[in-house]
Amino acid sequence: MCDTVRMKPVRLCVHAIDAASAITDSAMIATVDAALDVLEVSCSTPTERILALERVHGTFARRRQSQATAPFGRFIAHHLDLRQNRLLTRS
């Protein structure tokens, strides 16, 4: 079950995404995917996964306001949207 009180998986995911922002090659995509996979596994229902992805996006956008409209920030937003849409279509 996803820890909705403390959302430690969200914090870990955001931390991994922050670290991925420094990577300049295709390993960045793998790092982001791995972080999001771990986050999704920590949640037991699609609804929890969608909410956790929303929290990752919100936390990332707040912590990295200057990067939210930069290419990396747009990539993260798009990647999170794709995952949420996938979860919604499966539900």
Side-chain angles (χ1 to χ4, degrees):
M1 183 171 166
C2 195
D3 182 3
T4 56
V5 176
R6 290 184 267 155
M7 292 306 294
K8 184 175 180 180
V10 170
R11 286 196 311 269
L12 293 173
C13 185
V14 170
H15 178 70
I17 290 172
D18 284 342
S21 70
I23 301 171
T24 58
D25 60 13
S26 61
M28 180 267 301
I29 296 170
T31 302
V32 170
D33 277 334
L36 294 174
D37 289 343
V38 169
L39 176 70
E40 285 190 37
V41 168
S42 73
C43 301
S44 59
T45 67
T47 302
E48 287 179 346
R49 291 180 185 114
I50 291 169
L51 291 173
L53 290 168
E54 276 297 316
R55 288 184 183 201
V56 166
H57 182 262
T59 303
F60 175 80
R62 277 191 308 278
R63 290 179 63 188
R64 299 254 182 166
Q65 290 179 1
S66 64
Q67 286 187 346
T69 58
F72 183 73
R74 289 192 312 265
F75 164 77
I76 295 300
H78 179 71
H79 209 61
L80 291 169
D81 283 343
L82 289 175
R83 283 187 176 243
Q84 287 178 321
N85 288 337
R86 185 192 75 222
L87 288 166
L88 287 170
T89 57
R90 288 183 183 172
S91 297

